[in-house]
Amino acid sequence: QVQLVESGGGSVQAGGSLRLSCAASGITGNYVMAWFRQAPGKERELVAAISRSTIGTYYADSVKGRFTISRDNAKNTGYLQMNNVKPEDTAVYHCAARITYSRDYADYPYRGQGTQVTVSS
């Protein structure tokens, strides 16, 4: 049984930092790990994604230069380092895994339950 469990969310002031983690179990091998977010009243969007080799990464324009995605394959864990956060980063963040890259959340068969990030101004 595949499980993805996020942690590290919480409340932070604008300009601060958070580090989200995604611990994967029941899945090994070559998979893409991605972070999506959904804010109230908005569509879910792809924030960042990383290949197993870590060579390939994707960032949404809105987070480039502020967020960094990484993974530790030995620990089967992915991370999203969020720096200089803004109120518009407030959302529920989900990690997801898939064999190949996709920008569509519905294409990911493995997804976590989500962690809330709230940024106050």
Side-chain angles (χ1 to χ4, degrees):
Q1 181 181 356
V2 177
Q3 276 193 316
L4 301 179
V5 180
E6 302 97 336
S7 60
S11 297
V12 62
Q13 287 193 326
S17 298
L18 279 176
R19 189 194 196 202
L20 306 183
S21 298
C22 175
S25 60
I27 182 173
T28 58
N30 188 19
Y31 63 90
V32 171
M33 180 169 281
W35 287 93
F36 291 82
R37 68 184 180 187
Q38 186 166 25
K42 294 187 177 181
E43 291 188 357
R44 184 178 287 109
E45 65 170 334
L46 175 63
V47 176
I50 187 168
S51 64
R52 185 186 190 281
S53 69
T54 75
I55 293 176
T57 57
Y58 164 86
Y59 293 96
D61 288 342
S62 57
V63 306
K64 280 181 182 176
R66 300 188 298 121
F67 290 11
T68 302
I69 190 170
S70 62
R71 62 192 292 172
D72 184 335
N73 290 325
K75 296 181 179 179
N76 228 13
T77 301
Y79 307 96
L80 185 67
Q81 178 67 45
M82 307 168 61
N83 295 331
N84 189 24
V85 295
K86 304 176 180 180
E88 50 263 42
D89 294 322
T90 295
V92 176
Y93 285 72
H94 294 263
C95 66
R98 188 175 188 264
I99 297 299
T100 56
Y101 171 76
S102 172
R103 297 184 67 170
D104 191 343
Y105 185 70
D107 288 340
Y108 286 76
Y110 309 117
R111 313 168 194 168
Q113 81 288 351
T115 186
Q116 175 70 46
V117 171
T118 302
V119 182
S120 58
S121 57

